[in-house]
Structures are given as structure tokens and as C-alpha cells.
Amino acid sequence: KQEVTQIPAALSVPEGENLVLNCSFTDSAIYNLQWFRQDPGKGLTSLLLIQSSQREQTSGRLNASLDKSSGRSTLYIAASQPGDSATYLCAVTSVQGAQKLVFGQGTRLTINP
Amino acid sequence: GAVVSQHPSRVICKSGTSVKIECRSLDFQATTMFWYRQFPKQSLMLMATSNEGSKATYEQGVEKDKFLINHASLTLSTLTVTSAHPEDSSFYICSAKASAFGELFFGEGSRLTVL
């Protein structure tokens, strides 16, 4: 059974810092990995999708990497801003998962002005 | 990115009534839609997978007679919480994808409060 873990559970940093969020998964047989952002009381916004054949994806100040063999992904946020404050979730689609995403518990990020 | 619309965003109802939540893919045809439930400060729990024109597949522990899912078209799926009780109060989120292993897009969520 696929399990996804995100570390840390919460992170608070000053504005302007670069930061890394971590995601690990137990079954490396995945189709893809997706990073999402969730603001309080809202749905999820897709940030980056990495297919299993890819090593990384970039969008603006965000860069996500994937090391499928070791079951790890990182989300790098450059020059953080207060507007980046949210909960960040990673999720994987497993080969055995019948298209279902398995989510991590999320990292609650706070950027202090 | 693609847009998934969920309605209503908030609903308050009395215990024993039924509530319907709609999930629409606005600019793509969704072969598969998913319904999730999220408790405060917790991650998303998948309730069921909905494929257009066929019966939904429910996750273990989810009562299919209580949470009725209908995926009548490629752009609309509905979740009906029947005979709602206070313990059904939660944040319900739908998601949709255009292809089997493509990107997943989420609705804004619906907060249900049962009095």
C-alpha cells in the first residue's frame, strides 16, 4: 500500500528566504507526482506535475524534483513571499493505484514579513 | 490550468435532510472524477471514484447508500449526502482529470454543516 510522508509538518521562515519542502513515498512504482497548494478553507491548486520519466519541473519561483528510485521529491521555493503562506501537499499516482492519488499530510508554510 | 467548479461552496442543513453537491469540469471532459473529504488540519481522504456512465467505486469504510454519487455526463458529477447527521459535517472536495494519468484539477470545495 502506497504511503506518502511530508516533512516538516509546519515551517515558518522570514520573507525572502529560499526553502525546501520534502515528500517521500514508499512504493516507487508511480505514474506521476503532483504538488498542490491549499489555502485555508479552499480547494487545491495544482502547482507542478512530474511524470515518472521526468527528474524535475519548474514554474516561476517553484522547482520540483523527483527521484523515483529513492521515493523522494522536493519542492523548492525561491525568494519566498508572504503570499506563499499556505499548506503544500504532494500526491502520487501509483501504478497499482487505479488512477487514485495518495496524498501526504501536507506542510503548513508561513512566510513572515 | 483547467477549471473545476464546485457548488455550493457552503451549505447548512438540518439533521435528517439530504444535500447535493455538484462538481463540473468547465473547459474539459472529465473521464474520471474523484470525491474527497477533509477534516480540519488533516489531509484529503478519498471517498469514491466516479466514471462517467458507470457506478462509482467507493473506498473501504465509505457507505455508498449514504453518499450517493452520480456521474451522468463527462462534465458533471454529483455527491448527495443522504439523511445527513452532524458527524457528516466536513469539507468535501471534488477533482477531475481529462485522461487516465493526467493532471488532476480540484474544485474549490464545499463546507457542509449539519445542525
Side-chain angles (χ1 to χ4, degrees):
Chain A
K1 178 185 173 185
Q2 178 73 270
E3 293 183 2
V4 180
T5 304
Q6 289 185 246
I7 296 173
L11 180 64
S12 180
V13 301
E15 180 179 3
E17 281 199 6
N18 304 324
L19 56 100
V20 174
L21 307 181
N22 297 292
C23 173
S24 62
F25 45 95
T26 54
D27 183 357
S28 62
I30 64 170
Y31 282 111
N32 57 47
L33 182 145
Q34 202 164 346
W35 281 93
F36 297 90
R37 167 185 174 142
Q38 185 176 30
D39 293 288
K42 300 288 187 181
L44 275 66
T45 300
S46 177
L47 298 174
L48 291 163
L49 169 69
I50 310 178
Q51 300 294 348
S52 62
S53 58
Q54 298 174 321
R55 302 277 302 182
E56 65 177 344
Q57 284 285 338
T58 298
S59 175
R61 294 183 293 108
L62 305 179
N63 175 277
S65 68
L66 173 64
D67 184 342
K68 195 176 72 166
S69 60
S70 68
R72 296 184 180 184
S73 176
T74 61
L75 178 67
Y76 175 83
I77 302 177
S80 58
Q81 302 170 359
D84 295 330
S85 297
T87 296
Y88 290 80
L89 295 152
C90 75
V92 298
T93 303
S94 296
V95 171
Q96 299 299 325
Q99 304 181 44
K100 296 183 289 190
L101 255 66
V102 178
F103 281 86
Q105 291 291 93
T107 294
R108 191 166 63 256
L109 175 65
T110 303
I111 307 300
N112 301 306
Chain B
V3 178
V4 175
S5 173
Q6 200 172 328
H7 177 81
S9 59
R10 292 178 182 274
V11 57
I12 300 173
C13 69
K14 293 182 179 180
S15 184
T17 60
S18 295
V19 175
K20 180 185 285 188
I21 301 170
E22 292 186 348
C23 178
R24 294 181 184 273
S25 56
L26 297 185
D27 52 0
F28 67 100
Q29 293 186 325
T31 56
T32 305
M33 288 184 171
F34 302 88
W35 287 95
Y36 295 83
R37 182 173 181 174
Q38 186 178 34
F39 292 104
K41 296 187 178 180
Q42 294 190 24
S43 192
L44 281 71
M45 181 192 78
L46 180 64
M47 299 174 66
T49 302
S50 169
N51 292 295
E52 187 266 339
S54 63
K55 290 184 179 180
T57 303
Y58 290 81
E59 294 300 301
Q60 192 173 11
V62 178
E63 300 176 57
K64 61 181 180 182
D65 293 331
K66 180 167 188 62
F67 298 100
L68 300 179
I69 291 173
N70 183 283
H71 194 158
S73 75
L74 284 171
T75 58
L76 174 64
S77 176
T78 60
L79 167 68
T80 301
V81 183
T82 62
S83 187
H85 289 95
E87 57 266 29
D88 298 325
S89 298
S90 188
F91 193 56
Y92 293 88
I93 309 176
C94 72
S95 65
K97 56 169 66 177
S99 60
F101 300 104
E103 193 169 355
L104 195 64
F105 298 97
F106 282 78
E108 283 292 302
S110 299
R111 181 161 302 285
L112 170 64
T113 303
V114 184
L115 302 176

